[in-house]
Amino acid sequence: MLFGHTYQVSRNVTYHVKEYECTVCKNQLTTNAQGNLVKLTPKFKEINDVLERVHNKKNRIKLKADTPPNKDLLVFSHQNFSNPEP
């Protein structure tokens, strides 16, 4: 509680950037580049939207790269070709 306000996280933009809303007066805050709470202006809302889009895209690419390869694929090693049998 901060000066009569009860803030709850209303949106997780990234792991470190969040948007907060007061349950009493509906005042909205967000974290800025220094990690301080600031009023959620239209400019900060736009910045958070872009930041969330970039963050989600990065996570999708990382998730795709971390998936195991298809088990049905044939895997050839260098040893298979180094000593061919007659």
Side-chain angles (χ1 to χ4, degrees):
M1 241 169 107
L2 185 70
F3 304 111
H5 294 282
T6 307
Y7 288 105
Q8 290 183 335
V9 175
S10 59
R11 177 178 168 202
N12 289 316
V13 179
T14 67
Y15 298 126
H16 302 290
V17 178
K18 296 175 180 20
E19 291 180 3
Y20 302 90
E21 184 173 3
C22 177
T23 58
V24 178
C25 66
K26 305 300 182 201
N27 188 22
Q28 293 180 324
L29 301 175
T30 188
T31 50
N32 64 6
Q34 291 78 30
N36 300 322
L37 290 176
V38 295
K39 186 175 180 180
L40 184 63
T41 62
K43 184 70 172 177
F44 274 113
K45 185 79 170 160
E46 183 180 350
I47 290 169
N48 285 352
D49 290 342
V50 172
L51 191 60
E52 183 179 35
R53 220 177 355 208
V54 170
H55 178 73
N56 289 339
K57 184 176 181 179
K58 179 182 170 187
N59 282 343
R60 279 193 306 271
I61 291 170
K62 184 176 185 235
L63 182 65
K64 193 174 186 180
D66 289 344
T67 56
N70 190 348
K71 293 179 182 178
D72 296 335
L73 294 177
L74 294 176
V75 178
F76 294 98
S77 68
H78 180 67
Q79 293 174 347
N80 293 353
F81 297 106
S82 61
N83 295 325
E85 295 182 18

